[in-house]
Amino acid sequence: MPTAELHIDGKVIELPVIEGSEGERAIDIQNLRSETGLITMDPGYANTGSCESSITFINGEEGILQYRGYPIEELAENCTFLEVSYLLIHGELPTEVELDGFTNSILHHTMIHEDFRLLFRALPKDAHPMAACSAMVSALATFYPDSLDPRDPREVEVSIHRLLAKLPTIASYAYKHSVGQPFMYPDNNLSYVGNFLRLMFANPCEEFEVDPVVEKAIDLLLILHADHEQNCSASTVRIVGSSHVNMFASISAGINALWGPRHGGANQEVIEMLSAIADEGISGKEFVDRAKSRDDTSRLMGFGHRVYKNFDPRARIIKKACYDVLDRLGVNSRLLEIAVEIEQLALSDDYFVERNLYPNVDFYSGVIYTAIGTPENMFTANFAIGRLPGWIAQWREMHEHKHKIGRPRQVYTGETRRKVPQLSDR
Ligand code: SDX
């Protein structure tokens, strides 16, 4: 086993170097503190591996994304979201029989307990769908006490199917509540995505036809969002799950992490940014110049990535899908024109080039969501539905291996020991 030498306090410590199947290498510091008394410091964990994983591989320098070894481009071209969900969770693409069983089980668990209607009714009309989704996913643990044990494979399997089946229903109810429309019941005769579209856009007063163009576009977007290594929300699901709380609570925590504008919430921010440019007549150049200020508030949303220092392959696929979907829907999108203009300006601007800032998965996704009628405040909930199988796969992989509770260290920089003064002396 290759090693790295650490010279400290006149001692030489040998630390093992581990290598992954794609040639990534890491210094294993599990014994660092016991051997040296030191810890490492890496705010944001940009240089720190939390686990070995066989689910997803990203090569940020070359813009490569693979789920269980399959390139994202091939999965997007040849599979459905449920096939990819099965692949992420079970490690192999399903056979026809396996896919039928998986699909059938999920499509027949899409209803949620009627009492959820009472919970939704109690929420303010303007409750953000991500707040509703995390609350209701957490509440699933109260309705299903029979499937909470993270160490029981059967209970885990039941929870997996319940979550995959019910999150679209929960998300659609969050939307219906916000617009004062009645909740629709799932239709088990439709596809997974077709059912979600009907839950979102149908109403009891008229027939609803699933548009195959829209169905395929959403299925593609869900595939592209399905997993992404140890991103903020996946790491949240792992660390919350490492306390051995149930899967529902772990996924609810992941939903909350995804909501943040630096993470999945960026897709809503991008459309708000493009709409502001369109509505206020701001020039793309003015907006790009504003984005170069060093504060978080005027960043170019949908640009930049902790890992991709080249094009995010998902952004490339979604950008192509924008043209395809808009063309087939006969929609001209000013937002798409602005997004392409902004991208061209940024990719020829030294500030962005020097910092390797390229469009990420969130930059173009909102253009499609807008074109097919998804309300802006539902963009991130759509991201959560896509990311759910990835979160589940990460949580399950952690539980399938020996793991410790996640508990980082710190370097204390506060007051050293001192005596408590009496109140009269303060
Ligand atoms: C997702 O991790 C994942 O895999 C996430 C994700 C997934 O699938 O799970 O891919 C999904 O979250 C995509 C990212 C969506 N977020 C956004 O689009 C928000 C805008 N982008 C950023 O805030 C930022 O780029 C991050 C959060 C995505 C990455 O931040 P990093 O890696 O911590 O980089 P940083 O904040 O340290 O920025 C490095 C430099 C800084 O400038 P300097 O201090 O060197 O002068 O780049 C600048 C930043 O100011 N910068 C930007 C910018 N992003 C970074 N400047 C302008 N606009 C931006 N978007």
Side-chain angles (χ1 to χ4, degrees):
M1 156 99 52
T3 60
E5 278 188 0
L6 174 64
H7 293 247
I8 185 83
D9 301 340
K11 289 193 297 182
V12 179
I13 309 292
E14 292 226 335
L15 296 167
V17 174
I18 58 176
E19 183 166 344
S21 53
E22 288 279 358
E24 295 168 301
R25 296 190 303 160
I27 299 171
D28 182 338
I29 58 168
Q30 296 181 67
N31 299 321
L32 178 67
R33 191 168 186 275
S34 60
E35 290 190 26
T36 68
L38 281 87
I39 63 169
T40 58
M41 180 58 72
D42 187 21
Y45 310 117
N47 304 283
T48 298
S50 62
C51 61
E52 293 182 28
S53 178
S54 58
I55 299 168
T56 294
F57 170 69
I58 299 170
N59 178 318
E61 286 64 36
E62 295 175 29
I64 291 171
L65 170 59
Q66 294 169 184
Y67 295 160
R68 299 287 189 184
Y70 295 108
I72 189 66
E73 296 81 1
E74 288 189 41
L75 291 169
E77 185 69 33
N78 299 294
C79 297
T80 64
F81 174 63
L82 280 188
E83 282 181 272
V84 169
S85 298
Y86 187 99
L87 168 69
L88 288 168
I89 294 167
H90 296 290
E92 294 296 340
L93 282 166
T95 63
E96 207 161 340
V97 170
E98 287 165 337
L99 182 59
D100 284 349
F102 187 65
T103 303
N104 190 50
S105 168
I106 286 167
L107 291 185
H108 288 84
H109 283 85
T110 49
M111 273 206 300
I112 56 179
H113 194 291
E114 278 297 292
D115 288 353
F116 270 100
R117 289 165 184 267
L118 306 175
L119 294 180
F120 274 102
R121 294 268 181 265
L123 293 177
K125 279 277 176 279
D126 58 356
H128 194 288
M130 289 297 275
C133 284
S134 62
M136 299 306 167
V137 166
S138 193
L140 287 171
T142 66
F143 287 88
Y144 297 114
D146 64 337
S147 65
L148 300 182
D149 182 353
R151 317 293 289 166
D152 179 320
R154 171 79 193 128
E155 293 193 20
V156 167
E157 194 68 12
V158 169
S159 295
I160 289 172
H161 286 222
R162 280 174 168 155
L163 275 164
L164 289 170
K166 298 178 193 304
L167 185 55
T169 308
I170 288 170
S172 74
Y173 282 21
Y175 169 61
K176 287 298 196 187
H177 176 67
S178 72
V179 292
Q181 286 187 11
F183 299 149
M184 298 300 293
Y185 284 104
D187 178 348
N188 298 345
N189 298 309
L190 296 173
S191 72
Y192 185 81
V193 170
N195 183 52
F196 176 50
L197 290 170
R198 182 177 174 282
L199 286 164
M200 278 289 295
F201 301 116
N203 65 60
C205 310
E206 53 201 19
E207 285 305 307
F208 177 82
E209 280 294 309
V210 175
D211 180 331
V213 173
V214 174
E215 186 178 25
K216 178 93 180 91
I218 291 286
D219 197 274
L220 169 66
L221 287 172
L222 294 180
I223 288 173
L224 296 174
H225 287 79
D227 192 53
H228 216 239
E229 291 190 355
Q230 303 311 314
N231 58 84
C232 178
S233 53
S235 299
T236 301
V237 169
R238 278 184 176 255
I239 202 164
V240 168
S242 71
S243 72
H244 286 189
V245 75
N246 62 77
M247 190 188 287
F248 300 121
S250 306
I251 298 298
S252 174
I255 293 172
N256 282 309
L258 186 72
W259 187 8
R262 281 179 155 183
H263 191 12
N267 57 15
Q268 179 176 346
E269 302 263 336
V270 167
I271 285 301
E272 287 167 1
M273 173 183 82
L274 298 176
S275 302
I277 294 171
D279 300 344
E280 295 166 29
I282 310 169
S283 75
K285 176 149 182 19
E286 185 185 340
F287 206 92
V288 167
D289 288 343
R290 203 188 297 173
K292 294 190 270 189
S293 70
R294 296 172 62 85
D295 65 81
D296 243 9
T297 54
S298 54
R299 280 191 168 184
L300 190 51
M301 301 311 277
F303 255 74
H305 199 276
R306 170 64 57 78
V307 175
Y308 288 122
K309 298 309 170 193
N310 193 320
F311 226 89
D312 181 332
R314 301 167 298 175
R316 188 184 281 125
I317 297 170
I318 294 173
K319 181 181 179 183
K320 180 179 174 301
C322 278
Y323 290 102
D324 180 39
V325 172
L326 297 179
D327 183 46
R328 292 170 74 175
L329 291 175
V331 169
N332 288 317
S333 169
R334 175 76 181 113
L335 297 181
L336 179 56
E337 290 166 11
I338 295 170
V340 170
E341 179 197 355
I342 294 263
E343 177 191 348
Q344 284 162 352
L345 286 167
L347 295 186
S348 55
D349 184 300
D350 288 347
Y351 172 92
F352 292 89
V353 174
E354 285 160 9
R355 291 168 178 77
N356 297 309
L357 300 176
Y358 292 86
N360 59 47
V361 67
D362 293 314
F363 191 62
Y364 283 104
S365 56
V367 172
I368 295 184
Y369 284 136
T370 303
I372 62 180
T374 301
E376 284 176 21
N377 68 357
M378 281 295 292
F379 288 5
T380 313
N382 277 272
F383 192 150
I385 293 170
R387 185 51 52 89
L388 179 58
W391 287 332
I392 289 170
Q394 299 285 346
W395 187 94
R396 202 165 179 269
E397 181 176 71
M398 177 184 69
H399 276 285
E400 285 170 348
H401 296 84
K402 188 172 180 307
H403 62 282
K404 293 177 179 287
I405 189 170
R407 202 265 184 228
R409 290 271 182 166
Q410 63 166 30
V411 170
Y412 176 69
T413 56
E415 294 287 346
T416 52
R417 189 180 185 87
R418 54 182 173 163
K419 193 168 169 45
V420 175
Q422 293 305 308
L423 184 56
S424 57
D425 297 335
R426 288 176 207 160

Short mmCIF file of all heavy atoms in Angstrom, two decimals, residues 141-188:
data_model
loop_
_atom_site.label_atom_id
_atom_site.label_comp_id
_atom_site.label_asym_id
_atom_site.label_seq_id
_atom_site.Cartn_x
_atom_site.Cartn_y
_atom_site.Cartn_z
N ALA A 141 -42.88 9.42 8.79
CA ALA A 141 -42.40 8.56 9.87
C ALA A 141 -43.48 8.35 10.93
O ALA A 141 -43.48 7.35 11.64
CB ALA A 141 -41.16 9.17 10.51
N THR A 142 -44.42 9.31 11.01
CA THR A 142 -45.49 9.15 12.02
C THR A 142 -46.59 8.23 11.50
O THR A 142 -47.30 7.60 12.28
CB THR A 142 -46.12 10.53 12.36
OG1 THR A 142 -46.80 11.03 11.20
CG2 THR A 142 -45.04 11.53 12.78
N PHE A 143 -46.74 8.16 10.17
CA PHE A 143 -47.80 7.32 9.60
C PHE A 143 -47.32 5.89 9.37
O PHE A 143 -48.12 4.98 9.19
CB PHE A 143 -48.29 7.91 8.27
CG PHE A 143 -49.13 9.15 8.44
CD1 PHE A 143 -48.53 10.40 8.51
CD2 PHE A 143 -50.51 9.05 8.56
CE1 PHE A 143 -49.31 11.55 8.69
CE2 PHE A 143 -51.29 10.20 8.73
CZ PHE A 143 -50.68 11.45 8.80
N TYR A 144 -45.98 5.71 9.32
CA TYR A 144 -45.46 4.37 9.01
C TYR A 144 -44.48 3.89 10.07
O TYR A 144 -43.30 3.67 9.79
CB TYR A 144 -44.81 4.39 7.63
CG TYR A 144 -45.77 4.73 6.53
CD1 TYR A 144 -45.64 5.91 5.82
CD2 TYR A 144 -46.84 3.88 6.23
CE1 TYR A 144 -46.54 6.24 4.82
CE2 TYR A 144 -47.75 4.20 5.24
CZ TYR A 144 -47.61 5.38 4.53
OH TYR A 144 -48.50 5.70 3.55
N PRO A 145 -44.92 3.74 11.30
CA PRO A 145 -44.00 3.25 12.36
C PRO A 145 -43.50 1.83 12.09
O PRO A 145 -42.55 1.38 12.69
CB PRO A 145 -44.87 3.31 13.63
CG PRO A 145 -46.28 3.29 13.15
CD PRO A 145 -46.29 3.96 11.82
N ASP A 146 -44.09 1.18 11.09
CA ASP A 146 -43.70 -0.21 10.79
C ASP A 146 -42.46 -0.28 9.88
O ASP A 146 -41.98 -1.35 9.54
CB ASP A 146 -44.86 -0.93 10.08
CG ASP A 146 -45.15 -0.29 8.71
OD1 ASP A 146 -44.80 0.91 8.54
OD2 ASP A 146 -45.70 -0.96 7.83
N SER A 147 -41.96 0.87 9.43
CA SER A 147 -40.80 0.79 8.52
C SER A 147 -39.79 1.86 8.85
O SER A 147 -39.35 2.61 7.99
CB SER A 147 -41.27 0.94 7.07
OG SER A 147 -41.81 2.25 6.87
N LEU A 148 -39.40 1.90 10.14
CA LEU A 148 -38.48 2.95 10.57
C LEU A 148 -37.08 2.43 10.90
O LEU A 148 -36.14 3.20 11.05
CB LEU A 148 -39.04 3.68 11.80
CG LEU A 148 -40.38 4.39 11.63
CD1 LEU A 148 -40.78 5.10 12.92
CD2 LEU A 148 -40.34 5.38 10.47
N ASP A 149 -36.94 1.10 11.02
CA ASP A 149 -35.66 0.57 11.49
C ASP A 149 -34.63 0.55 10.36
O ASP A 149 -34.77 -0.23 9.42
CB ASP A 149 -35.86 -0.85 12.04
CG ASP A 149 -34.55 -1.42 12.58
OD1 ASP A 149 -33.49 -0.73 12.41
OD2 ASP A 149 -34.58 -2.52 13.15
N PRO A 150 -33.60 1.40 10.42
CA PRO A 150 -32.61 1.48 9.34
C PRO A 150 -31.76 0.22 9.22
O PRO A 150 -31.08 0.03 8.22
CB PRO A 150 -31.74 2.67 9.72
CG PRO A 150 -31.88 2.81 11.19
CD PRO A 150 -33.25 2.32 11.52
N ARG A 151 -31.86 -0.66 10.21
CA ARG A 151 -31.03 -1.87 10.17
C ARG A 151 -31.83 -3.07 9.70
O ARG A 151 -31.31 -4.17 9.63
CB ARG A 151 -30.43 -2.16 11.56
CG ARG A 151 -29.90 -0.96 12.30
CD ARG A 151 -28.68 -0.34 11.65
NE ARG A 151 -27.48 -1.15 11.79
CZ ARG A 151 -26.37 -0.96 11.08
NH1 ARG A 151 -26.31 -0.02 10.17
NH2 ARG A 151 -25.29 -1.70 11.26
N ASP A 152 -33.12 -2.87 9.38
CA ASP A 152 -33.96 -3.99 8.93
C ASP A 152 -34.15 -3.87 7.41
O ASP A 152 -34.86 -2.98 6.94
CB ASP A 152 -35.31 -3.94 9.64
CG ASP A 152 -36.23 -5.06 9.19
OD1 ASP A 152 -36.24 -5.38 7.97
OD2 ASP A 152 -36.93 -5.64 10.04
N PRO A 153 -33.50 -4.76 6.63
CA PRO A 153 -33.56 -4.66 5.16
C PRO A 153 -34.98 -4.59 4.60
O PRO A 153 -35.25 -3.85 3.66
CB PRO A 153 -32.84 -5.93 4.68
CG PRO A 153 -31.99 -6.35 5.83
CD PRO A 153 -32.72 -5.93 7.07
N ARG A 154 -35.88 -5.34 5.20
CA ARG A 154 -37.27 -5.35 4.70
C ARG A 154 -37.92 -3.98 4.95
O ARG A 154 -38.55 -3.40 4.07
CB ARG A 154 -38.05 -6.47 5.42
CG ARG A 154 -39.54 -6.47 5.17
CD ARG A 154 -39.94 -7.09 3.83
NE ARG A 154 -41.34 -6.78 3.50
CZ ARG A 154 -41.70 -6.25 2.33
NH1 ARG A 154 -40.80 -5.96 1.41
NH2 ARG A 154 -42.97 -6.00 2.06
N GLU A 155 -37.73 -3.43 6.15
CA GLU A 155 -38.33 -2.12 6.47
C GLU A 155 -37.69 -1.03 5.60
O GLU A 155 -38.37 -0.11 5.16
CB GLU A 155 -38.16 -1.82 7.96
CG GLU A 155 -38.95 -2.76 8.85
CD GLU A 155 -39.06 -2.28 10.31
OE1 GLU A 155 -38.85 -1.07 10.55
OE2 GLU A 155 -39.37 -3.11 11.18
N VAL A 156 -36.40 -1.16 5.32
CA VAL A 156 -35.72 -0.18 4.45
C VAL A 156 -36.32 -0.25 3.04
O VAL A 156 -36.65 0.76 2.43
CB VAL A 156 -34.20 -0.44 4.43
CG1 VAL A 156 -33.53 0.34 3.30
CG2 VAL A 156 -33.58 -0.07 5.77
N GLU A 157 -36.50 -1.46 2.53
CA GLU A 157 -37.06 -1.64 1.18
C GLU A 157 -38.45 -1.04 1.08
O GLU A 157 -38.78 -0.34 0.12
CB GLU A 157 -37.09 -3.14 0.84
CG GLU A 157 -37.31 -3.47 -0.62
CD GLU A 157 -36.12 -3.08 -1.52
OE1 GLU A 157 -35.05 -2.75 -1.00
OE2 GLU A 157 -36.32 -3.07 -2.75
N VAL A 158 -39.28 -1.24 2.11
CA VAL A 158 -40.64 -0.69 2.12
C VAL A 158 -40.58 0.84 2.12
O VAL A 158 -41.27 1.52 1.36
CB VAL A 158 -41.43 -1.21 3.34
CG1 VAL A 158 -42.73 -0.44 3.51
CG2 VAL A 158 -41.70 -2.70 3.19
N SER A 159 -39.66 1.39 2.93
CA SER A 159 -39.53 2.86 3.00
C SER A 159 -39.08 3.43 1.67
O SER A 159 -39.54 4.49 1.24
CB SER A 159 -38.53 3.25 4.09
OG SER A 159 -39.00 2.88 5.36
N ILE A 160 -38.18 2.73 0.99
CA ILE A 160 -37.69 3.18 -0.32
C ILE A 160 -38.85 3.32 -1.29
O ILE A 160 -39.04 4.35 -1.95
CB ILE A 160 -36.63 2.21 -0.87
CG1 ILE A 160 -35.33 2.32 -0.05
CG2 ILE A 160 -36.35 2.49 -2.36
CD1 ILE A 160 -34.28 1.26 -0.40
N HIS A 161 -39.68 2.27 -1.35
CA HIS A 161 -40.80 2.30 -2.31
C HIS A 161 -41.82 3.36 -1.91
O HIS A 161 -42.37 4.06 -2.77
CB HIS A 161 -41.45 0.91 -2.40
CG HIS A 161 -40.61 -0.06 -3.16
ND1 HIS A 161 -41.11 -0.96 -4.06
CD2 HIS A 161 -39.26 -0.26 -3.17
CE1 HIS A 161 -40.13 -1.68 -4.60
NE2 HIS A 161 -39.00 -1.28 -4.06
N ARG A 162 -42.07 3.50 -0.62
CA ARG A 162 -43.03 4.53 -0.17
C ARG A 162 -42.53 5.93 -0.53
O ARG A 162 -43.27 6.77 -1.03
CB ARG A 162 -43.23 4.42 1.34
CG ARG A 162 -44.19 3.30 1.73
CD ARG A 162 -44.27 3.09 3.22
NE ARG A 162 -45.40 2.21 3.58
CZ ARG A 162 -45.46 1.49 4.69
NH1 ARG A 162 -44.43 1.54 5.56
NH2 ARG A 162 -46.50 0.73 4.94
N LEU A 163 -41.24 6.20 -0.31
CA LEU A 163 -40.70 7.53 -0.61
C LEU A 163 -40.75 7.83 -2.11
O LEU A 163 -41.23 8.87 -2.54
CB LEU A 163 -39.26 7.62 -0.10
CG LEU A 163 -39.09 7.99 1.37
CD1 LEU A 163 -37.69 7.66 1.85
CD2 LEU A 163 -39.42 9.45 1.61
N LEU A 164 -40.28 6.88 -2.92
CA LEU A 164 -40.27 7.11 -4.37
C LEU A 164 -41.70 7.32 -4.88
O LEU A 164 -41.94 8.14 -5.76
CB LEU A 164 -39.62 5.92 -5.08
CG LEU A 164 -38.11 5.77 -4.90
CD1 LEU A 164 -37.63 4.42 -5.45
CD2 LEU A 164 -37.34 6.91 -5.57
N ALA A 165 -42.63 6.58 -4.30
CA ALA A 165 -44.03 6.65 -4.75
C ALA A 165 -44.71 7.92 -4.28
O ALA A 165 -45.49 8.53 -5.03
CB ALA A 165 -44.79 5.42 -4.25
N LYS A 166 -44.41 8.35 -3.09
CA LYS A 166 -45.23 9.40 -2.46
C LYS A 166 -44.67 10.81 -2.59
O LYS A 166 -45.41 11.79 -2.42
CB LYS A 166 -45.47 9.05 -0.99
CG LYS A 166 -46.25 7.75 -0.81
CD LYS A 166 -46.44 7.39 0.64
CE LYS A 166 -46.93 5.98 0.81
NZ LYS A 166 -48.17 5.64 0.10
N LEU A 167 -43.39 10.98 -2.88
CA LEU A 167 -42.85 12.34 -2.96
C LEU A 167 -43.51 13.15 -4.07
O LEU A 167 -43.89 14.30 -3.85
CB LEU A 167 -41.33 12.33 -3.09
CG LEU A 167 -40.67 13.72 -3.06
CD1 LEU A 167 -41.06 14.50 -1.82
CD2 LEU A 167 -39.14 13.62 -3.17
N PRO A 168 -43.73 12.57 -5.27
CA PRO A 168 -44.45 13.35 -6.29
C PRO A 168 -45.85 13.75 -5.84
O PRO A 168 -46.31 14.87 -6.10
CB PRO A 168 -44.49 12.39 -7.50
CG PRO A 168 -43.31 11.48 -7.31
CD PRO A 168 -43.21 11.28 -5.82
N THR A 169 -46.53 12.86 -5.13
CA THR A 169 -47.87 13.18 -4.62
C THR A 169 -47.78 14.32 -3.62
O THR A 169 -48.53 15.29 -3.68
CB THR A 169 -48.50 11.94 -3.98
OG1 THR A 169 -48.43 10.84 -4.90
CG2 THR A 169 -49.94 12.19 -3.57
N ILE A 170 -46.84 14.22 -2.69
CA ILE A 170 -46.64 15.27 -1.68
C ILE A 170 -46.30 16.60 -2.36
O ILE A 170 -46.88 17.64 -2.05
CB ILE A 170 -45.54 14.85 -0.69
CG1 ILE A 170 -46.04 13.74 0.24
CG2 ILE A 170 -45.02 16.04 0.12
CD1 ILE A 170 -44.96 13.09 1.09
N ALA A 171 -45.39 16.56 -3.33
CA ALA A 171 -44.98 17.81 -4.00
C ALA A 171 -46.16 18.43 -4.73
O ALA A 171 -46.39 19.65 -4.68
CB ALA A 171 -43.83 17.51 -4.97
N SER A 172 -46.97 17.59 -5.38
CA SER A 172 -48.12 18.15 -6.12
C SER A 172 -49.14 18.74 -5.15
O SER A 172 -49.77 19.77 -5.43
CB SER A 172 -48.76 17.06 -6.97
OG SER A 172 -49.49 16.13 -6.17
N TYR A 173 -49.31 18.11 -3.99
CA TYR A 173 -50.25 18.65 -3.00
C TYR A 173 -49.75 20.00 -2.49
O TYR A 173 -50.55 20.91 -2.24
CB TYR A 173 -50.44 17.67 -1.83
CG TYR A 173 -51.35 16.50 -2.11
CD1 TYR A 173 -51.63 16.09 -3.42
CD2 TYR A 173 -51.95 15.79 -1.08
CE1 TYR A 173 -52.45 15.00 -3.68
CE2 TYR A 173 -52.78 14.70 -1.32
CZ TYR A 173 -53.02 14.32 -2.64
OH TYR A 173 -53.84 13.25 -2.89
N ALA A 174 -48.44 20.14 -2.36
CA ALA A 174 -47.90 21.43 -1.91
C ALA A 174 -48.27 22.51 -2.92
O ALA A 174 -48.67 23.62 -2.56
CB ALA A 174 -46.38 21.33 -1.76
N TYR A 175 -48.17 22.16 -4.21
CA TYR A 175 -48.52 23.13 -5.25
C TYR A 175 -50.03 23.40 -5.25
O TYR A 175 -50.47 24.56 -5.24
CB TYR A 175 -48.07 22.62 -6.62
CG TYR A 175 -48.63 23.44 -7.76
CD1 TYR A 175 -48.34 24.80 -7.87
CD2 TYR A 175 -49.50 22.87 -8.70
CE1 TYR A 175 -48.87 25.57 -8.89
CE2 TYR A 175 -50.04 23.63 -9.72
CZ TYR A 175 -49.73 24.97 -9.80
OH TYR A 175 -50.28 25.74 -10.81
N LYS A 176 -50.82 22.33 -5.24
CA LYS A 176 -52.29 22.52 -5.30
C LYS A 176 -52.76 23.37 -4.11
O LYS A 176 -53.65 24.22 -4.24
CB LYS A 176 -52.98 21.15 -5.29
CG LYS A 176 -52.86 20.37 -6.59
CD LYS A 176 -53.50 21.09 -7.76
CE LYS A 176 -53.73 20.20 -8.96
NZ LYS A 176 -54.19 20.95 -10.13
N HIS A 177 -52.16 23.13 -2.94
CA HIS A 177 -52.56 23.92 -1.76
C HIS A 177 -52.25 25.39 -1.99
O HIS A 177 -53.02 26.27 -1.65
CB HIS A 177 -51.81 23.41 -0.52
CG HIS A 177 -52.08 24.21 0.72
ND1 HIS A 177 -53.31 24.25 1.34
CD2 HIS A 177 -51.28 25.04 1.44
CE1 HIS A 177 -53.25 25.04 2.40
NE2 HIS A 177 -52.04 25.52 2.49
N SER A 178 -51.10 25.65 -2.65
CA SER A 178 -50.67 27.06 -2.82
C SER A 178 -51.57 27.81 -3.81
O SER A 178 -51.63 29.03 -3.81
CB SER A 178 -49.21 27.10 -3.33
OG SER A 178 -49.15 26.68 -4.68
N VAL A 179 -52.26 27.05 -4.69
CA VAL A 179 -53.14 27.74 -5.67
C VAL A 179 -54.62 27.50 -5.34
O VAL A 179 -55.49 27.83 -6.15
CB VAL A 179 -52.81 27.28 -7.11
CG1 VAL A 179 -51.43 27.78 -7.53
CG2 VAL A 179 -52.91 25.76 -7.28
N GLY A 180 -54.88 26.88 -4.21
CA GLY A 180 -56.26 26.70 -3.77
C GLY A 180 -57.06 25.74 -4.61
O GLY A 180 -58.30 25.80 -4.65
N GLN A 181 -56.37 24.83 -5.28
CA GLN A 181 -57.08 23.84 -6.10
C GLN A 181 -57.18 22.51 -5.33
O GLN A 181 -56.36 22.23 -4.46
CB GLN A 181 -56.33 23.60 -7.42
CG GLN A 181 -56.44 24.74 -8.41
CD GLN A 181 -55.83 24.36 -9.76
OE1 GLN A 181 -55.49 23.18 -10.01
NE2 GLN A 181 -55.66 25.35 -10.62
N PRO A 182 -58.19 21.69 -5.66
CA PRO A 182 -58.33 20.41 -4.95
C PRO A 182 -57.16 19.47 -5.25
O PRO A 182 -56.59 19.51 -6.34
CB PRO A 182 -59.64 19.83 -5.50
CG PRO A 182 -59.92 20.57 -6.76
CD PRO A 182 -59.26 21.89 -6.66
N PHE A 183 -56.81 18.67 -4.24
CA PHE A 183 -55.76 17.67 -4.45
C PHE A 183 -56.31 16.59 -5.37
O PHE A 183 -57.45 16.15 -5.21
CB PHE A 183 -55.37 17.03 -3.11
CG PHE A 183 -54.82 18.00 -2.09
CD1 PHE A 183 -55.02 17.79 -0.73
CD2 PHE A 183 -54.11 19.13 -2.46
CE1 PHE A 183 -54.53 18.68 0.22
CE2 PHE A 183 -53.62 20.03 -1.53
CZ PHE A 183 -53.83 19.79 -0.19
N MET A 184 -55.49 16.16 -6.33
CA MET A 184 -55.93 15.07 -7.22
C MET A 184 -55.49 13.74 -6.63
O MET A 184 -54.45 13.67 -5.97
CB MET A 184 -55.28 15.26 -8.60
CG MET A 184 -55.66 16.54 -9.30
SD MET A 184 -57.43 16.68 -9.60
CE MET A 184 -57.66 15.35 -10.80
N TYR A 185 -56.26 12.67 -6.89
CA TYR A 185 -55.78 11.35 -6.51
C TYR A 185 -54.90 10.79 -7.63
O TYR A 185 -55.13 11.09 -8.79
CB TYR A 185 -56.98 10.41 -6.27
CG TYR A 185 -57.69 10.65 -4.95
CD1 TYR A 185 -58.91 11.31 -4.91
CD2 TYR A 185 -57.11 10.27 -3.74
CE1 TYR A 185 -59.56 11.56 -3.71
CE2 TYR A 185 -57.73 10.52 -2.53
CZ TYR A 185 -58.96 11.17 -2.51
OH TYR A 185 -59.58 11.43 -1.31
N PRO A 186 -53.87 10.02 -7.24
CA PRO A 186 -53.00 9.42 -8.29
C PRO A 186 -53.83 8.53 -9.23
O PRO A 186 -54.87 7.99 -8.85
CB PRO A 186 -52.00 8.59 -7.48
CG PRO A 186 -52.08 9.11 -6.08
CD PRO A 186 -53.46 9.63 -5.90
N ASP A 187 -53.32 8.37 -10.46
CA ASP A 187 -53.92 7.44 -11.42
C ASP A 187 -52.86 6.38 -11.73
O ASP A 187 -51.88 6.64 -12.41
CB ASP A 187 -54.30 8.20 -12.71
CG ASP A 187 -54.88 7.26 -13.77
OD1 ASP A 187 -54.76 6.01 -13.59
OD2 ASP A 187 -55.44 7.76 -14.76
N ASN A 188 -53.11 5.19 -11.22
CA ASN A 188 -52.08 4.13 -11.34
C ASN A 188 -51.94 3.60 -12.76
O ASN A 188 -51.08 2.78 -13.04
CB ASN A 188 -52.40 2.97 -10.39
CG ASN A 188 -52.38 3.43 -8.95
OD1 ASN A 188 -51.86 4.51 -8.65
ND2 ASN A 188 -52.96 2.63 -8.06
#
